[in-house]
C-alpha cells in the first residue's frame, strides 16, 4: 500500500522534511523492505527448481540401472553359450596338437643343424663388421681433428673481434665520462661568470653544460651542479625573478587549483587573495571578504574552496567566480584544521579540533566519528584516497586503516613507530609514503609496506636547526625527489634513494611558510615572510627551454 502511495503521489524530500526529519530514512527503509521481499520470492523459486531437478535426477538413475541389469543378464547367457562351444573346439584342438608335436620334433632337429651353420656364418660377419667399425673410427677421428682446427680458428677470430669491440667501447665510455666531467666543469665556470656579472657568457656556458651532460647520459640522471648553474642563469642572468609576485604582507599558505590557472595565498592579515597565472608571471585577481582565515583547501574537483577562520566558521566558495555559498556554512569554536579525501569514490570533508566533524562534501550527510574522537593526537592526516590515517601521538607515529561503513567511520590500528619530537608537518606523499617534519629541521620519510606496516626509509637533515614548513614529492621513471622548505629560507630537493644527493635553493630572504608542487607543470611554488610568491622549475630541461626562449626574445 505504501509503495503504491509513493509511486502515485511521488513525495519529495522537501515535502517530507516538513513533517519529520526522518523522511529519508523512512523512504530508505521502504526500499529495503521491498528489496528483501523480492529476494525471498527469488529464493523460493530457486528452491522449487532444485527439488524438481533432484526428482528428475533420481528417475534417470533408476532407468539407467534397469538398462544395466538387462544388459548384464543378456551378457551372462551369451558367455555360457561361448563356453560350451569353446569346450568342443578344445577337444578338436588337442587331437591336432598331438599330430603337430611329432612334426615339431622333426623340425627342431633340422633347426639345430641350421643354427650351427648360422653361428659360423655370424662369426665371420662379426669379424667383418669389427674391421669396418675400426676403419670408420679412424676416419671420424681424423674429421674431428680437422673440425677442431677450424673451430679454433673461428674462436681466435671472434676473440680478436670482441677485443676490438671492447676497446672501441672503452674509448667511447672514456669519451662519455670526459664529456660528463667537462659538462660539470662548464657549470662551475658558468656560476663564476654569472657571479662576476658576465651574464651572456654565464648563460651560454650553463646551457652548453646541460646539453653536453644530457647527450652523454641520455637524460637518465640529474646533476646538482648543472641544475644550480641553469637555475642561476635563469634567475640572475635573465632576471626571471621579475615574474615573481610581491604581496603587501607576509604570506602564510599557498594553494593551486588542479584544473585552472588560479592560485590562492593566505597572508598575515588572515585574508585570502586570488592570483592568476599569466605569461609574465602572476597577477592579483581579487581578495575574498572572509576575515581571520586560519586554513583553506580545494575540493578534489577544484569546484569548491573551503575556508576555516579562527572563530571555527567554515565557509564554501564557488571557484568559478569565488562567490560565497552561505547555505553550506557551519561553525564550531573548536575547529582548527580542514582536510578533504575520497573513500569509494565519495569525497568527504574532515574538520578537526577539540571536536571533529566528518561530512559528505556534496550530500552534506554526517558521518559518526566516535573512533576518531578517541585518538589523543596532536596531528592527524588522511591519505588522499582515504585508505590510511596517520596520527602523531606523544612522539610516536601511528598508522590506521580508514573506512566509512553505514555512515560511520571505522579505524583499525595497523602499526606504530617512534619518530621525531616537535612535529610541525605530517603529510602523505603518493599512495604509500608518510613524511614527518620537525621544528628542528629534520624530515623523516616512512614507507607503508604490502603487509601494512610502517618502516623508516630515509632521513633528511639538509636544513638548519629550524622549523620544516612544507614537504612534497616529485616522481618520474628516473627518480623520486623529496621537496622540503624551512624557516632557514631555503628549498631543498633531495633524492629519496640518497638524501646526500640534494640541491638547495636560496629561495627567499625570510622564512618560507609554505610550498606547493604542481605535478603537471613540474613547478614548486613558495611563499614567504618576505611577501613574495615565487616558483621554481624542478626539471633542468624546463629551465633550459625557458633560457632558450628568453635568449631568442632578447636577440
Amino acid at each position: 500500500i505504501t509503495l503504491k502511495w509513493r509511486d502515485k503521489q511521488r513525495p519529495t524530500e522537501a515535502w517530507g522534511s516538513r513533517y519529520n526529519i526522518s523522511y529519508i530514512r523512512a523512504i530508505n527503509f521502504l526500499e529495503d523492505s521491498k528489496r528483501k521481499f523480492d529476494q525471498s520470492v527469488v529464493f523460493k523459486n530457486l528452491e522449487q527448481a532444485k527439488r524438481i531437478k533432484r526428482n528428475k535426477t533420481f528417475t534417470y538413475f533408476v532407468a539407467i540401472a534397469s538398462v544395466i541389469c538387462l544388459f548384464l543378464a543378456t551378457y551372462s547367457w551369451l558367455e555360457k553359450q561361448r563356453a560350451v562351444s569353446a569346450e568342443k573346439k578344445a577337444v578338436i584342438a588337442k587331437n591336432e596338437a598331438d599330430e603337430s608335436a611329432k612334426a615339431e620334433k622333426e623340425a627342431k632337429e633340422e633347426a639345430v643343424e641350421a643354427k650351427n651353420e648360422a653361428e659360423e656364418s655370424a662369426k665371420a660377419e662379426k669379424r667383418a663388421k669389427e674391421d669396418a667399425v675400426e676403419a670408420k673410427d679412424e676416419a671420424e677421428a681424423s674429421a674431428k681433428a680437422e673440425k677442431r682446427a677450424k673451430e679454433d680458428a673461428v674462436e681466435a677470430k671472434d676473440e680478436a673481434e670482441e677485443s676490438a669491440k671492447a676497446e672501441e667501447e672503452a674509448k667511447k665510455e672514456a669519451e662519455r665520462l670526459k664529456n660528463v666531467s667537462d659538462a660539470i666543469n662548464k657549470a662551475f665556470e658558468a656560476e663564476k661568470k654569472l657571479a662576476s656579472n658576465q651574464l651572456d657568457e654565464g648563460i651560454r656556458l650553463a646551457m652548453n653544460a646541460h646539453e653536453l651532460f644530457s647527450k652523454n647520459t641520455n637524460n637518465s640522471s640529474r646533476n646538482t651542479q648543472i641544475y644550480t648553474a641553469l637555475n642561476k642563469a635563469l634567475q640572475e642572468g635573465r632576471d626571471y625573478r621579475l615574474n615573481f609576485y610581491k604581496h603587501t604582507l607576509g604570506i602564510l599558505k599557498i594553494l593551486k587549483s588542479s584544473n585552472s590557472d588560479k592560485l590562492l595565498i593566505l597572508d598575515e592579515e588572515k585574508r585570502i587573495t586570488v592570483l592568476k597565472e599569466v605569461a609574465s608571471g602572476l597577477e592579483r585577481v581579487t581578495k575574498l571578504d572572509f576575515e581571520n582565515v586560519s586554513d583553506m583547501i580545494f575540493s578534489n574537483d577544484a569546484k569548491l574552496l573551503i575556508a576555516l577562520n579562527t572563530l571555527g566558521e567554515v565557509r564554501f566558495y564557488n571557484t568559478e567566480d569565488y562567490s560565497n555559498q552561505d547555505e553550506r556554512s557551519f561553525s564550531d569554536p573548536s575547529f582548527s584544521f580542514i582536510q578533504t579525501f575520497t573513500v569509494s569514490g565519495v569525497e568527504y570533508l574532515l574538520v578537526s579540533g577539540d571536536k571533529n566533524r566528518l561530512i559528505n562534501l556534496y550530500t552534506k550527510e554526517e558521518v559518526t566519528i566516535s573512533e576518531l574522537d578517541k585518538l589523543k593526537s596532536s596531528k592527524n592526516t588522511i591519505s588522499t584516497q582515504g585508505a590510511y590515517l596517520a596520527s602523531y601521538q606523544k612522539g610516536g607515529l601511528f598508522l590506521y586503516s580508514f573506512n566509512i561503513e553505514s555512515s560511520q567511520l571505522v579505524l583499525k590500528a595497523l602499526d606504530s613507530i617512534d619518530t621525531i619530537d616537535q612535529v610541525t608537518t605530517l603529510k602523505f606523499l603518493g599512495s604509500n609514503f608518510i613524511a614527518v617534519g620537525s621544528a628542528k629541521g629534520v624530515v623523516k620519510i616512512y614507507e607503508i609496506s604490502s603487509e601494512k606496516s610502517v618502516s623508516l626509509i630515509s632521513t633528511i637533515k639538509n636544513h638548519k636547526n629550524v622549523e620544516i614548513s612544507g614537504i612534497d614529492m616529485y616522481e618520474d621513471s628516473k627518480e623520486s625527489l623529496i621537496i622540503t622548505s624551512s624557516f632557514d629560507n631555503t628549498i631543498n630537493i633531495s633524492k629519496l634513494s640518497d638524501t646526500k644527493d640534494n640541491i638547495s635553493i636560496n629561495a627567499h630572504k625570510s622564512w618560507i611558510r609554505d610550498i606547493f608542487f604542481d605535478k603537471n607543470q613540474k613547478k614548486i611554488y613558495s611563499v614567504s615572510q618576505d611577501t613574495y610568491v615565487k616558483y621554481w622549475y624542478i626539471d633542468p630541461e624546463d629551465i633550459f627551454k625557458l633560457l632558450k626562449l628568453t635568449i631568442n626574445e632578447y636577440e
Side-chain angles (χ1 to χ4, degrees):
I1 292 171
T2 310
L3 285 171
K4 287 180 180 179
W5 169 82
R6 187 201 61 180
D7 294 337
K8 181 178 179 181
Q9 298 298 329
R10 297 186 179 275
T12 65
E13 180 181 348
W15 175 86
S17 299
R18 289 186 303 173
Y19 296 95
N20 195 297
I21 59 173
S22 302
Y23 168 78
I24 294 177
R25 283 187 287 175
I27 291 298
N28 289 341
F29 175 76
L30 181 61
E31 288 291 339
D32 188 54
S33 300
K34 180 178 181 301
R35 183 165 56 254
K36 289 181 177 177
F37 174 76
D38 293 341
Q39 287 176 349
S40 67
V41 172
V42 170
F43 291 154
K44 288 177 181 178
N45 290 340
L46 288 173
E47 189 61 29
Q48 185 175 358
K50 288 180 181 177
R51 283 199 302 272
I52 293 172
K53 185 175 179 180
R54 285 198 298 268
N55 292 339
K56 285 184 178 180
T57 302
F58 179 73
T59 303
Y60 292 154
F61 174 82
V62 171
I64 291 169
S66 300
V67 171
I68 291 172
C69 290
L70 180 61
F71 171 77
L72 291 174
T74 305
Y75 178 77
S76 175
W77 182 82
L78 290 174
E79 285 299 308
K80 182 179 179 182
Q81 296 302 316
R82 286 194 192 99
V84 172
S85 176
E87 186 178 356
K88 291 179 180 178
K89 288 179 180 178
V91 173
I92 297 171
K94 182 176 180 301
N95 295 332
E96 291 176 351
D98 291 341
E99 291 292 326
S100 67
K102 292 179 182 178
E104 184 179 352
K105 184 178 179 181
E106 294 174 357
K108 280 183 179 178
E109 292 173 351
E110 293 175 356
V112 169
E113 187 177 349
K115 179 183 176 185
N116 292 334
E117 293 176 355
E119 285 177 351
E120 290 295 325
S121 175
K123 286 179 182 177
E125 185 179 354
K126 182 179 179 182
R127 281 194 297 271
K129 283 182 179 180
E130 288 172 350
D131 293 341
V133 168
E134 187 176 350
K136 180 184 176 184
D137 290 343
E138 290 176 357
E140 286 178 349
S142 176
K144 284 179 180 178
E146 185 178 354
K147 183 179 179 183
R148 273 196 302 271
K150 287 181 179 179
E151 288 174 348
D152 290 343
V154 170
E155 187 176 347
K157 180 184 175 185
D158 290 342
E159 286 177 355
E161 289 177 352
E162 286 293 327
S163 177
K165 192 184 291 184
E167 186 177 351
E168 181 65 25
E169 295 216 347
K171 285 181 181 179
K172 286 181 180 179
E173 180 62 13
E175 180 68 19
R176 187 188 74 80
L177 293 174
K178 179 181 178 299
N179 289 338
V180 170
S181 178
D182 288 346
I184 294 170
N185 289 333
K186 282 187 177 186
F188 274 113
E189 191 64 28
E191 285 198 70
K192 290 180 183 178
K193 296 291 184 184
L194 291 167
S196 61
N197 210 32
Q198 299 179 56
L199 302 182
D200 290 339
E201 183 63 13
I203 292 169
R204 183 187 65 79
L205 282 170
M207 294 177 70
N208 287 346
H210 172 73
E211 286 185 305
L212 187 60
F213 184 81
S214 298
K215 182 179 178 182
N216 285 276
T217 57
N218 293 320
N219 288 317
S220 61
S221 62
R222 164 192 299 269
N223 180 268
T224 300
Q225 184 59 47
I226 290 172
Y227 176 87
T228 303
L230 283 171
N231 205 39
K232 286 187 176 180
L234 182 66
Q235 304 299 334
E236 300 173 14
R238 280 290 169 249
D239 209 3
Y240 197 68
R241 295 168 294 184
L242 295 174
N243 291 358
F244 297 155
Y245 171 79
K246 180 171 175 57
H247 198 54
T248 55
L249 296 166
I251 307 170
L252 307 176
K253 188 175 177 67
I254 182 169
L255 283 180
K256 188 172 189 297
S257 170
S258 60
N259 63 356
S260 76
D261 55 1
K262 299 291 194 308
L263 292 93
L264 303 180
I265 57 172
L266 177 64
D267 60 31
E268 286 186 318
E269 193 182 30
K270 302 294 182 68
R271 296 284 296 274
I272 298 173
T273 300
V274 181
L275 305 179
K276 182 179 181 181
E277 201 161 20
V278 294
S280 60
L282 300 168
E283 64 180 30
R284 183 178 181 275
V285 176
T286 186
K287 180 175 279 192
L288 301 189
D289 58 356
F290 199 22
E291 296 181 351
N292 297 317
V293 176
S294 60
D295 203 0
M296 59 183 182
I297 194 166
F298 282 114
S299 60
N300 286 347
D301 58 12
K303 292 181 179 179
L304 287 175
L305 165 68
I306 305 111
L308 170 69
N309 73 3
T310 54
L311 301 176
E313 182 182 358
V314 180
R315 282 193 188 178
F316 297 78
Y317 291 85
N318 185 329
T319 55
E320 289 185 5
D321 56 6
Y322 287 92
S323 58
N324 183 8
Q325 310 292 300
D326 283 327
E327 72 281 359
R328 298 181 63 99
S329 299
F330 56 87
S331 65
D332 188 295
S334 70
F335 292 156
S336 59
F337 170 77
I338 53 178
Q339 183 181 0
T340 60
F341 56 90
T342 302
V343 177
S344 302
V346 178
E347 188 173 4
Y348 293 88
L349 170 66
L350 174 65
V351 189
S352 301
D354 294 337
K355 294 181 180 179
N356 298 292
R357 185 175 180 186
L358 182 60
I359 61 171
N360 183 313
L361 191 56
Y362 290 97
T363 67
K364 305 178 192 176
E365 181 184 1
E366 194 90 15
V367 178
T368 303
I369 54 174
S370 55
E371 290 192 39
L372 183 60
D373 291 334
K374 293 176 184 176
L375 297 183
K376 295 180 180 179
S377 57
S378 57
K379 280 189 178 294
N380 290 323
T381 186
I382 301 169
S383 58
T384 306
Q385 294 304 314
Y388 301 108
L389 179 141
S391 176
Y392 175 69
Q393 305 171 26
K394 295 181 180 179
L397 179 65
F398 293 78
L399 180 69
Y400 300 86
S401 66
F402 187 98
N403 202 4
I404 295 174
E405 300 174 1
S406 302
S407 297
Q408 183 163 344
L409 182 147
V410 179
L411 292 179
K412 180 182 178 183
L414 298 177
D415 198 7
S416 64
I417 190 170
D418 290 336
T419 187
I420 48 183
D421 294 326
Q422 301 179 40
V423 169
T424 59
T425 307
L426 180 63
K427 185 175 182 179
F428 277 96
L429 302 177
S431 58
N432 61 334
F433 294 104
I434 306 172
V436 180
S438 80
K440 295 184 179 180
V442 178
V443 176
K444 291 194 174 185
I445 309 297
Y446 298 90
E447 184 175 20
I448 304 171
S449 69
S450 56
E451 290 79 24
K452 299 183 179 180
S453 61
V454 181
S455 58
L456 177 66
I457 61 168
S458 186
T459 300
I460 300 172
K461 296 181 179 179
N462 299 323
H463 290 283
K464 294 179 182 177
N465 188 24
V466 290
E467 181 176 329
I468 297 296
S469 57
I471 307 174
D472 220 316
M473 185 176 187
Y474 167 70
E475 289 184 292
D476 62 16
S477 58
K478 298 181 293 185
E479 59 191 357
S480 296
L481 304 175
I482 303 298
I483 308 161
T484 56
S485 64
S486 168
F487 278 21
D488 65 1
N489 311 347
T490 67
I491 294 172
N492 192 275
I493 304 170
S494 307
K495 279 190 177 180
L496 181 61
S497 57
D498 180 11
T499 57
K500 292 181 181 178
D501 186 352
N502 68 89
I503 299 163
S504 183
I505 303 172
N506 292 315
H508 290 269
K509 293 181 180 179
S510 186
W511 302 343
I512 299 176
R513 304 301 296 264
D514 193 21
I515 57 173
F516 181 90
F517 180 60
D518 186 330
K519 293 178 175 58
N520 296 322
Q521 297 188 65
K522 300 180 185 177
K523 286 166 68 174
I524 307 166
Y525 293 85
S526 59
V527 294
S528 167
Q529 193 73 22
D530 66 7
T531 75
Y532 273 99
V533 179
K534 299 184 178 183
Y535 48 94
W536 319 88
Y537 289 89
I538 199 169
D539 192 333
E541 185 64 24
D542 290 337
I543 303 175
F544 176 81
K545 289 175 183 176
L546 276 173
L547 281 171
K548 198 169 184 180
L549 180 64
T550 56
I551 286 174
N552 292 338
E553 289 176 351
Y554 179 76
E555 292 174 349

